[in-house]
Amino acid sequence: MSLTTRTILPAIMTTLALLASCASAPPSTVIRTHYNPDPDMDGFRNVVVVSVTGTYRSREQFERTLVAALSSEKISATAYFTVIGRNPQLTRANLHNAIRNRGFDAVIFTRLKGQEQKELAPLRPVGPGLDLFGYDYAELNRDVGMQEAQAITFVTEIYSTTSQNKVWAIESLSIDKASAAEVVSDQAAMIGAQIKIDKLLAR
């Protein structure tokens, strides 16, 4: 075997192994669906993370994981359930109280796509029009199972508490994860990374 063959062959085998690994890994994608920051926004510094995905246990896991991903010397991130209590209800009253008591400048809100139901209040906006400050969405307080080996799309939105406007939103997709815990871990990592990429937090 020539020197060239001995050099190139291992490199080819390594490349093929990496390609096989990538091909077998379940794909994850992020699509930004809304970006309209307040004109005077200089990056949020004190955010509350609210999740209504899955069971209350998985919601707590998601909030803790995303808080850990976002917190830094300049950023204070807080899980909603640590402010409101275990099995927290998402209501406008609870949210306003949390913001007033803790001085949050932004709400990072995550739900499963399609989790809200238009038929429960026909005039209430849902989907991309969902308004966290304008309406109560009582159905978001129900436990929702996340089945393994499914395509699951999360919707994450950031609201400014000063203007109460939605300033950013993404849809993030996970496919064929082995458990709800793995879905949550994967999603929180993707969402946290995208928030940083889009420079929504103080730097």
Side-chain angles (χ1 to χ4, degrees):
M1 182 180 292
S2 68
L3 178 61
T4 301
T5 303
R6 289 199 304 271
T7 303
I8 293 176
L9 190 56
I12 292 174
M13 297 302 293
T14 300
T15 301
L16 289 174
L18 287 172
L19 289 173
S21 174
C22 292
S24 62
S28 298
T29 59
V30 175
I31 300 172
R32 193 169 70 186
T33 59
H34 183 84
Y35 185 73
N36 186 29
D38 293 340
D40 58 349
M41 190 180 84
D42 188 30
F44 298 116
R45 297 178 181 275
N46 184 19
V47 303
V48 59
V49 175
V50 183
S51 173
V52 294
T53 58
T55 64
Y56 283 106
R57 182 176 181 179
S58 63
R59 296 175 189 198
E60 288 186 13
Q61 180 196 350
F62 179 90
E63 290 180 4
R64 286 186 187 279
T65 306
L66 188 53
V67 161
L70 298 178
S71 296
S72 69
E73 290 183 1
K74 293 185 177 181
I75 307 301
S76 173
T78 303
Y80 181 68
F81 83 89
T82 65
V83 180
I84 303 299
R86 294 286 178 177
N87 299 350
Q89 296 295 292
L90 176 62
T91 65
R92 285 180 293 163
N94 281 348
L95 188 59
H96 281 294
N97 287 339
I99 292 167
R100 183 178 62 251
N101 293 336
R102 302 289 289 272
F104 297 121
D105 57 11
V107 178
I108 301 175
F109 173 60
T110 300
R111 67 186 189 277
L112 298 179
K113 187 173 183 178
Q115 192 175 345
E116 69 281 7
Q117 299 174 37
K118 184 175 183 179
E119 60 271 18
L120 296 181
L123 299 179
R124 185 191 61 177
V126 295
L130 185 142
D131 184 352
L132 189 61
F133 285 101
Y135 301 86
D136 277 319
Y137 293 84
E139 68 272 28
L140 298 182
N141 290 306
R142 301 172 185 167
D143 278 2
V144 179
M146 289 187 292
Q147 300 299 318
E148 63 186 51
Q150 282 189 341
I152 300 176
T153 300
F154 282 29
V155 177
T156 302
E157 300 167 336
I158 297 181
Y159 291 81
S160 164
T161 62
T162 302
S163 65
Q164 298 190 0
N165 289 331
K166 185 188 304 181
V167 300
W168 178 89
I170 60 169
E171 292 185 2
S172 49
L173 171 68
S174 290
I175 297 177
D176 198 24
K177 300 303 179 186
S179 65
E182 189 176 343
V183 171
V184 167
S185 178
D186 178 64
Q187 289 278 351
M190 284 194 295
I191 293 164
Q194 193 64 42
I195 289 172
K196 291 179 178 178
I197 288 170
D198 285 351
K199 300 178 180 178
L200 293 155
L201 304 179
R203 300 184 300 280

